[in-house]
Amino acid sequence: MDKDTNKQIRYWGWGQTNHEYDRDKTYRFLKTLTEHFGLSALPEKLQHAKLEAFKVPKSLLPQNFITKWKSKGLSLDSYERLLHAAGKSYRDVVRVRNNQIPRFPDGVLFLEQSDHIKDLYTDAIQHGITIIPFGGGSGVVGGTECIGPNEKPVLVVDLTLLRRLLSIDSKAMTAQFEAGIYGPKLEQALNAKGYTLGHFPQSFEFSTLGGWIATRSAGQNSTLYGKIEDMVQSLTIHTPQGILETNHVPASATGPSLKQLLIGSEGIYGMITEATVKISPLPQTQNFVTMFFKSYEQGIDCIREIMQAGLKPSIVRLSDPDETNLYLQLMLTSALKKTIVPYWFKWKKLGKNPCFALIATEGNRPFTNFQREKIRALVRQNRGVFVEKSFDQKWKKDRFELPYLRDDLLDHGFFIDTLETAAPWSCLMNIYESMKFAFLKHKKDNLLIACHLSHAYKDGASLYFTFIGRQRKGHEIEQWEKIKNIASDIIIEHGGTISHHHGIGYDHKKWLSKEESPLGIDILKAVKKELDPENILNPGKVF
Amino acid sequence: MDKDTNKQIRYWGWGQTNHEYDRDKTYRFLKTLTEHFGLSALPEKLQHAKLEAFKVPKSLLPQNFITKWKSKGLSLDSYERLLHAAGKSYRDVVRVRNNQIPRFPDGVLFLEQSDHIKDLYTDAIQHGITIIPFGGGSGVVGGTECIGPNEKPVLVVDLTLLRRLLSIDSKAMTAQFEAGIYGPKLEQALNAKGYTLGHFPQSFEFSTLGGWIATRSAGQNSTLYGKIEDMVQSLTIHTPQGILETNHVPASATGPSLKQLLIGSEGIYGMITEATVKISPLPQTQNFVTMFFKSYEQGIDCIREIMQAGLKPSIVRLSDPDETNLYLQLMLTSALKKTIVPYWFKWKKLGKNPCFALIATEGNRPFTNFQREKIRALVRQNRGVFVEKSFDQKWKKDRFELPYLRDDLLDHGFFIDTLETAAPWSCLMNIYESMKFAFLKHKKDNLLIACHLSHAYKDGASLYFTFIGRQRKGHEIEQWEKIKNIASDIIIEHGGTISHHHGIGYDHKKWLSKEESPLGIDILKAVKKELDPENILNPGKVF
């Protein structure tokens, strides 16, 4: 149960229990995969572990701690302990489905007031309790994994009850929130006053402001509104050594940026309890341009030119040929796919591997119109072919829905994982081609690798990869690790960052130490020692 | 002598010896001040200390250190030691003019290769030498002050020989430079390839890329191009514990930002030797709009609306009534001032306290035209009155020149200092009015306080104050300290940052600890201890 929305949450997958992805599209997509992997029929539906099957062990929390904190939001409920045992990565979900959770938290504290944190830290140190801060729990890099010294009880601190809008400064266009607020509630509160934050990650419905900040999140509209680190004017963090509130100013030259040291701190330095964010007027209008390019490289060049011309689209998204194909399979009926579409591609001279792109602009009308016109001109210059067939509506409808489809794939034994990076424009095609090439050798998995470009900057962009295959029964995690290792090594070797917006958590630790110099890691450790000398917060995460 | 340009530099003031500010304008300005302060005539010209007067003591550097480093750029020359003894703040310049330099460096090392740094640190630790990293030396907050334990020799390390353009990535639009390169050389190198960095602080001619990064500098065009922390894609710093190069990616979610911890580190963590910066195409066109507003508040509201409409001027600058008046005195001939201008103000119903504003737009033609049109519409809506009389040319001519005028004021015994802040839009008028009000009580100084707004953001802007008075002979530094204390306290008390772009150095230490929580300072100290455990770099600076 989500304490905030009172809606039942899938412990075995994404989102709400009483919601599912569009059935027709699911059917079409599964059919496509069935054909791709040469299966005679759709594999039969697997059963995930039932609630009763989980053996949630007796809590290791000491009795006097339990007695004291029961009245302040502590729950020892097995269901809550299961729900807070993992995030929502492929690895997380597979382990839950297969009843392979390595460790359950010994309790979940639904923190009611940030005032309680100081006392909580004191008790945690006294009793040797490990603390895992928890926002929406939608992370996909093992950030909420219950690791830590085996002998120590693990307490997950759920921050979603800290969810108030504290103030809006309409002159400075900033809003101060408690950080546990979920995306929809935050937007509702702002929309009611005519504003938006403009931060819409795919996890939007199930992630929190504090979670976004702790992981350096990016939303789908980040190309206009910025990543979360650009949106935060200031934040408050409760560390075991005290509270730190950064200065509430638009910019400063007051030495190193403490704010940027705490954004992305993933619960290792403290719990983010409040943040003041820069807000924008609700856009008067939003305009989508959808198009096809003959090749991925042509599309990438076009988006680069748009960014380097000083234009400010809100969303850019360019699918490679494989993703485009999958997307068409998902979106179009069989009749369309077989008849009109191939002819249209031929007629438009888009070749055999057309790439679908979507570019949105939003804001006040003159700004949006100017952007759209200039963007359309650059698309034409780069020989993009516009398509007006309501692809934008399709995309909008699906923007937060696709993770539900993953559950359907898992139900039928398909492997599906995603990972992402960012790199300078000059490195993107190299990363992309190296990734495709590397997996050619792994014929056993015969993976479908789809990729899209999103989150563009003047100096580079993010690439987002989706890997789809057949699960190796009984070796699911091993299979995942192997694929993850190959893909992550390629990213680092070719000049990408190990994450543009998912974070480090537990899963990316190994590559963080390849991306940053050992001295960089030493700095992060020195700060950890200063703020959390007893190492009670998220031990073993990030570095 | 500037080793880079081979031009003679004023040890007793700003810039080059063989250059001075426009004589007519200087005369007009001094005349205005003479009248303002009720003097019967322009005070006679004071003499600054002659070179021969300085008693530069024997170097404390150990002989074997000298022997080893002489062939690698070490200079014990008295002139160089004088030139590197201070920055260019009012306090710095007055102390040089009055022959009151508290301490000279024991040597100046013109570092020839960054490869030498490791060896240098080893020797510094072995011999107990304090190191002061030095870029252009144009800082105004005591950042290059030769403080440190009295018994230890002080070595200034001048980084301006590290000045190569290393590479340009025209696809990613980034350029990698050695960090000691001066502003003009950096722009020349980029302009030759059709690019600009777009970073033009007033110190542009005498400051370096590394200095900009170390102090979180902002240029006059920062409203479009960003502050230096927005321009740096990655940097390399040599710390006593080793070299750290941050990742070369447009954005990432790899934990806390090490880059943003090192930008603004002001030589306390290491020496910045290289940086990759985001560059832009040279603007096709630059357009200036100049105007007057009836009140400062009206002008501020207009600029706020421009920023919050999503527009991107490159320069915004709005003078308060006192600065406007001083500016007109400086720019206009007596005839104009006495005849046409007052009638024009009356005719245009601008009242008795009009405020001058300049807004520039630049980039490609469509972008610039769109910006200009929308900005002009907002100016009209806010009842701004355009003035087309070549004020933009006047401003452009003076943009790097005004510090020369300071020398003329000092020559005649005038006090002149500047300080700056940034704050949310909702705090700006309060800071401004409190500053004006606070100094009303200090009748003895009868200060002229001028102010302009510049560097605007969606959530706030920077305010830049100029204080002009009569020097208290024999108590110049005491007088400066008193004024600095009052002004800085007001900024902090009213929600401003102690610096938007000058930095902390030595002069702002006291206020940094008021702006940041003690825990924040502890974090900065923990990083210092990690990177420079022997505290050889800039001891006593920043915190």
Side-chain angles (χ1 to χ4, degrees):
Chain A
M1 185 79 85
D2 178 340
K3 293 257 172 184
D4 188 60
T5 60
N6 287 327
K7 284 176 183 157
Q8 205 73 30
I9 296 295
R10 287 186 190 168
Y11 65 89
W12 49 270
W14 183 260
Q16 292 170 29
T17 310
N18 60 357
H19 184 90
E20 56 184 40
Y21 191 66
D22 183 288
R23 284 201 182 178
D24 284 347
K25 290 198 274 182
T26 304
Y27 171 78
R28 288 202 292 264
F29 200 74
L30 289 173
K31 192 157 168 277
T32 302
L33 296 186
T34 304
E35 285 165 16
H36 173 85
F37 292 107
L39 309 173
S40 53
L42 178 65
E44 63 174 315
K45 196 167 174 179
L46 304 167
Q47 293 304 310
H48 55 74
K50 296 275 168 263
L51 256 188
E52 313 77 77
F54 291 96
K55 292 213 169 74
V56 181
K58 190 175 175 309
S59 171
L60 294 179
L61 288 168
Q63 194 51 52
N64 49 359
F65 180 91
I66 294 173
T67 310
K68 175 172 171 183
W69 288 91
K70 269 252 152 142
S71 64
K72 292 176 180 173
L74 177 63
S75 166
L76 302 185
D77 180 70
S78 294
Y79 180 68
E80 291 298 353
R81 290 171 63 194
L82 166 60
L83 216 53
H84 289 81
K88 295 296 180 189
S89 71
Y90 173 77
R91 187 171 78 124
D92 291 331
V93 175
V94 165
R95 288 184 307 177
V96 174
R97 285 169 170 260
N98 293 353
N99 198 350
Q100 293 171 331
I101 296 190
R103 189 164 178 187
F104 291 88
D106 293 286
V108 179
L109 177 66
F110 291 91
L111 195 80
E112 289 160 356
Q113 293 174 231
S114 54
D115 289 358
H116 294 171
I117 298 178
K118 190 179 171 187
D119 196 21
L120 176 67
Y121 285 145
T122 306
D123 289 359
I125 290 167
Q126 191 198 326
H127 296 293
I129 296 169
T130 289
I131 290 179
I132 317 271
F134 199 100
S138 62
V140 292
V141 291
T144 52
E145 186 87 3
C146 289
I147 54 172
N150 276 332
E151 72 286 4
K152 289 190 174 184
V154 170
L155 177 71
V156 165
V157 179
D158 184 305
L159 294 154
T160 56
L161 295 183
L162 305 178
R163 57 189 169 183
R164 286 178 304 161
L165 166 63
L166 299 172
S167 65
I168 288 188
D169 180 339
S170 57
K171 208 162 201 179
M173 289 228 283
T174 54
Q176 189 171 25
F177 285 98
E178 286 186 317
I181 190 166
Y182 276 104
K185 285 274 171 72
L186 177 140
E187 277 295 325
Q188 270 167 33
L190 291 177
N191 292 175
K193 308 269 185 186
Y195 298 108
T196 179
L197 175 61
H199 190 77
F200 303 105
Q202 198 171 46
S203 64
F204 178 68
E205 299 170 284
F206 303 99
S207 55
T208 64
L209 173 59
W212 301 337
I213 298 172
T215 57
R216 290 193 167 260
S217 159
Q220 291 164 352
N221 303 37
S222 78
T223 304
L224 175 63
Y225 295 100
K227 283 185 76 195
I228 197 73
E229 61 263 39
D230 309 309
M231 295 176 170
V232 174
Q233 191 202 53
S234 67
L235 60 84
T236 302
I237 189 168
H238 286 242
T239 81
Q241 291 296 293
I243 301 170
L244 198 160
E245 182 179 355
T246 65
N247 47 6
H248 291 252
V249 294
S252 67
T254 49
S257 172
L258 288 167
K259 177 175 82 180
Q260 293 295 345
L261 184 72
L262 299 170
I263 296 176
S265 58
E266 301 202 10
I268 61 171
Y269 294 157
M271 296 193 244
I272 295 163
T273 55
E274 290 173 18
T276 301
V277 288
K278 302 172 202 171
I279 56 180
S280 301
L282 268 173
Q284 279 175 357
T285 180
Q286 195 178 37
N287 180 272
F288 285 83
V289 188
T290 48
M291 73 218 78
F292 285 91
F293 290 96
K294 197 177 172 181
S295 73
Y296 204 35
E297 195 159 15
Q298 211 173 55
I300 290 179
D301 279 345
C302 180
I303 292 175
R304 178 172 58 75
E305 286 178 23
I306 289 169
M307 297 309 298
Q308 294 183 346
L311 294 165
K312 278 282 179 196
S314 54
I315 305 171
V316 295
R317 197 184 160 98
L318 168 73
S319 296
D320 79 337
D322 286 308
E323 190 172 284
T324 300
N325 184 41
L326 281 178
Y327 194 61
L328 293 176
Q329 300 294 340
L330 184 71
M331 290 298 174
L332 304 178
T333 61
S334 300
L336 262 176
K337 272 181 288 193
K338 282 184 189 149
T339 56
I340 302 170
V341 170
Y343 290 101
W344 187 81
F345 285 141
K346 207 170 172 187
W347 177 47
K348 292 289 182 184
K349 299 198 174 87
L350 282 162
K352 288 184 177 164
N353 296 306
C355 294
F356 176 68
L358 177 150
I359 303 177
T361 52
E362 65 186 76
N364 58 46
R365 257 177 256 285
F367 174 86
T368 309
N369 291 345
F370 174 81
Q371 300 286 328
R372 185 189 50 199
E373 188 194 318
K374 298 298 155 202
I375 287 168
R376 288 182 71 100
L378 284 170
V379 169
R380 275 190 293 265
Q381 269 180 43
N382 281 278
R383 289 183 284 170
V385 179
F386 295 108
V387 56
E388 311 291 356
K389 276 278 167 243
S390 69
F391 272 104
D392 53 336
Q393 293 307 320
K394 290 188 203 295
W395 181 83
K396 264 164 105 169
K397 189 163 175 277
D398 262 13
R399 70 189 297 191
F400 307 128
E401 289 285 300
L402 278 170
Y404 283 102
L405 179 60
R406 182 179 65 178
D407 281 338
D408 296 301
L409 267 63
L410 295 182
D411 281 348
H412 294 280
F414 289 104
F415 171 95
I416 175 163
D417 196 20
T418 62
L419 48 81
E420 37 85 57
T421 181
W425 291 110
S426 41
C427 300
L428 288 183
M429 278 308 289
N430 201 3
I431 292 176
Y432 172 70
E433 284 168 355
S434 304
M435 189 70 80
K436 291 274 186 174
F437 183 74
F439 282 96
L440 284 181
K441 289 181 287 185
H442 297 265
K443 289 194 181 140
K444 198 171 157 195
D445 280 317
N446 186 25
L447 289 176
L448 242 173
I449 304 179
C451 177
H452 65 255
L453 176 152
S454 55
H455 313 283
Y457 305 86
K458 280 193 174 180
D459 54 335
S462 169
L463 289 181
Y464 192 97
F465 291 95
T466 303
F467 299 80
I468 303 177
R470 290 286 299 146
Q471 282 188 330
R472 292 200 208 147
K473 276 291 130 214
H475 302 278
E476 292 88 352
I477 301 303
E478 214 179 290
Q479 177 190 23
W480 169 83
E481 267 175 1
K482 202 171 162 190
I483 294 167
K484 180 87 178 167
N485 279 336
I486 295 167
S488 301
D489 283 348
I490 284 169
I491 285 172
I492 292 294
E493 280 161 21
H494 293 83
T497 175
I498 195 58
S499 176
H500 170 266
H501 56 270
H502 286 168
I504 298 301
Y506 181 69
D507 297 354
H508 285 154
K509 261 176 82 164
K510 189 161 86 179
W511 292 280
L512 181 67
S513 70
K514 291 182 187 177
E515 185 170 338
E516 303 285 6
S517 61
L519 187 57
I521 304 292
D522 285 347
I523 295 175
L524 300 182
K525 285 182 179 168
V527 175
K528 171 77 170 167
K529 208 170 165 191
E530 181 65 30
L531 294 178
D532 180 22
E534 310 278 344
N535 199 17
I536 56 171
L537 286 163
N538 263 343
K541 304 276 172 67
V542 184
F543 44 70
Chain B
M1 188 77 86
D2 178 339
K3 293 257 172 183
D4 188 60
T5 60
N6 286 327
K7 284 178 184 154
Q8 205 73 33
I9 296 295
R10 287 187 190 168
Y11 64 91
W12 50 272
W14 183 259
Q16 292 171 30
T17 310
N18 61 358
H19 185 90
E20 54 185 41
Y21 190 66
D22 182 289
R23 282 201 186 179
D24 286 348
K25 289 198 275 182
T26 305
Y27 171 78
R28 289 202 293 265
F29 200 74
L30 289 172
K31 192 157 167 277
T32 304
L33 296 186
T34 304
E35 284 165 16
H36 174 86
F37 292 107
L39 308 172
S40 53
L42 179 65
E44 63 176 317
K45 196 168 173 177
L46 304 168
Q47 293 303 311
H48 55 75
K50 296 276 168 265
L51 256 188
E52 316 75 81
F54 291 95
K55 294 212 170 71
V56 181
K58 190 177 175 310
S59 172
L60 295 180
L61 287 169
Q63 194 51 52
N64 49 359
F65 180 89
I66 294 173
T67 311
K68 174 172 171 183
W69 288 91
K70 267 254 154 140
S71 64
K72 292 178 180 169
L74 177 63
S75 167
L76 303 184
D77 179 69
S78 294
Y79 179 68
E80 291 297 354
R81 290 172 61 195
L82 167 59
L83 217 53
H84 288 82
K88 295 297 180 190
S89 71
Y90 173 78
R91 187 171 78 124
D92 291 332
V93 176
V94 165
R95 287 184 307 177
V96 174
R97 286 169 168 257
N98 293 353
N99 197 351
Q100 292 172 331
I101 295 189
R103 190 165 179 185
F104 292 88
D106 293 286
V108 179
L109 178 67
F110 291 91
L111 194 80
E112 290 161 355
Q113 294 174 233
S114 54
D115 288 358
H116 293 172
I117 298 177
K118 189 180 175 189
D119 197 19
L120 177 66
Y121 286 145
T122 307
D123 289 359
I125 290 166
Q126 190 197 326
H127 296 293
I129 295 169
T130 290
I131 289 179
I132 317 271
F134 198 99
S138 62
V140 292
V141 291
T144 53
E145 187 87 2
C146 288
I147 53 172
N150 275 332
E151 71 288 1
K152 290 192 174 183
V154 171
L155 177 72
V156 166
V157 179
D158 185 305
L159 294 155
T160 57
L161 296 183
L162 305 178
R163 57 190 171 184
R164 288 177 301 162
L165 166 63
L166 299 172
S167 65
I168 289 187
D169 180 339
S170 57
K171 208 161 201 182
M173 288 230 281
T174 55
Q176 187 170 28
F177 286 98
E178 286 186 317
I181 190 166
Y182 277 105
K185 286 273 170 74
L186 176 140
E187 276 296 323
Q188 271 167 34
L190 292 178
N191 293 174
K193 308 268 183 186
Y195 298 108
T196 179
L197 176 60
H199 190 77
F200 304 105
Q202 198 170 48
S203 64
F204 177 69
E205 298 171 284
F206 303 99
S207 55
T208 63
L209 173 59
W212 302 336
I213 297 172
T215 57
R216 289 193 168 259
S217 160
Q220 291 163 352
N221 303 36
S222 77
T223 304
L224 176 63
Y225 295 100
K227 284 185 75 195
I228 198 73
E229 62 263 37
D230 309 308
M231 296 176 170
V232 174
Q233 192 202 52
S234 67
L235 60 84
T236 302
I237 189 167
H238 287 242
T239 81
Q241 291 296 295
I243 300 171
L244 197 160
E245 182 178 358
T246 65
N247 48 6
H248 291 252
V249 293
S252 67
T254 50
S257 172
L258 288 167
K259 177 175 82 177
Q260 293 295 345
L261 184 72
L262 299 170
I263 296 178
S265 59
E266 301 202 11
I268 60 171
Y269 294 157
M271 296 194 246
I272 295 162
T273 55
E274 290 173 17
T276 301
V277 288
K278 302 170 202 172
I279 56 180
S280 301
L282 268 173
Q284 279 176 355
T285 181
Q286 194 176 40
N287 180 271
F288 284 83
V289 188
T290 48
M291 74 218 75
F292 285 92
F293 290 96
K294 198 177 172 182
S295 74
Y296 203 34
E297 195 159 13
Q298 209 171 58
I300 290 179
D301 280 345
C302 179
I303 293 174
R304 178 172 58 77
E305 286 177 22
I306 288 169
M307 297 309 297
Q308 294 182 346
L311 294 165
K312 276 283 181 194
S314 54
I315 306 170
V316 295
R317 196 183 159 97
L318 168 72
S319 296
D320 79 338
D322 285 309
E323 190 174 282
T324 300
N325 185 39
L326 281 177
Y327 194 60
L328 293 176
Q329 299 296 339
L330 183 72
M331 290 297 173
L332 303 179
T333 62
S334 299
L336 262 178
K337 271 181 287 193
K338 282 186 186 144
T339 55
I340 302 168
V341 170
Y343 289 101
W344 188 82
F345 283 143
K346 208 173 168 181
W347 177 47
K348 292 288 183 185
K349 299 199 175 86
L350 282 163
K352 289 183 177 162
N353 297 305
C355 294
F356 176 68
L358 177 151
I359 303 176
T361 51
E362 65 186 76
N364 57 44
R365 258 176 257 284
F367 175 85
T368 309
N369 292 345
F370 175 80
Q371 299 285 328
R372 185 188 51 199
E373 188 196 317
K374 298 299 157 202
I375 287 169
R376 287 183 71 101
L378 283 171
V379 169
R380 275 190 293 267
Q381 269 179 41
N382 283 276
R383 287 181 285 170
V385 179
F386 295 109
V387 56
E388 310 290 356
K389 277 276 164 243
S390 68
F391 272 103
D392 54 335
Q393 293 307 319
K394 290 186 204 296
W395 181 83
K396 263 164 108 167
K397 189 161 176 277
D398 263 12
R399 69 188 299 191
F400 307 129
E401 288 286 298
L402 279 171
Y404 283 103
L405 179 61
R406 182 179 66 176
D407 281 340
D408 296 300
L409 267 63
L410 294 181
D411 281 348
H412 295 281
F414 289 104
F415 171 94
I416 175 163
D417 196 21
T418 61
L419 47 81
E420 38 84 61
T421 182
W425 291 110
S426 41
C427 300
L428 289 183
M429 278 308 288
N430 200 3
I431 292 176
Y432 172 70
E433 284 169 354
S434 304
M435 189 70 82
K436 290 275 184 172
F437 183 73
F439 282 97
L440 282 182
K441 290 181 287 182
H442 296 264
K443 290 195 179 139
K444 200 171 155 195
D445 280 316
N446 186 25
L447 290 176
L448 243 173
I449 304 178
C451 178
H452 65 255
L453 176 152
S454 54
H455 313 284
Y457 305 86
K458 281 194 173 176
D459 54 334
S462 168
L463 288 181
Y464 191 97
F465 290 95
T466 303
F467 299 80
I468 304 178
R470 291 287 296 146
Q471 282 188 328
R472 289 197 209 149
K473 274 292 129 212
H475 302 279
E476 292 87 353
I477 301 303
E478 213 178 290
Q479 178 190 23
W480 170 83
E481 267 176 359
K482 202 172 161 187
I483 294 166
K484 180 86 177 168
N485 279 334
I486 295 167
S488 301
D489 283 347
I490 285 169
I491 285 171
I492 292 294
E493 281 162 20
H494 293 83
T497 174
I498 196 59
S499 176
H500 170 264
H501 55 272
H502 285 168
I504 298 300
Y506 182 69
D507 298 355
H508 285 155
K509 261 177 82 163
K510 190 161 84 178
W511 291 279
L512 181 67
S513 70
K514 290 180 186 177
E515 186 171 336
E516 302 286 7
S517 62
L519 186 57
I521 304 293
D522 285 346
I523 295 174
L524 299 181
K525 285 182 179 168
V527 176
K528 170 76 169 165
K529 209 171 165 191
E530 181 65 31
L531 294 178
D532 180 22
E534 310 278 344
N535 199 18
I536 57 170
L537 285 162
N538 264 342
K541 303 275 173 67
V542 185
F543 43 72

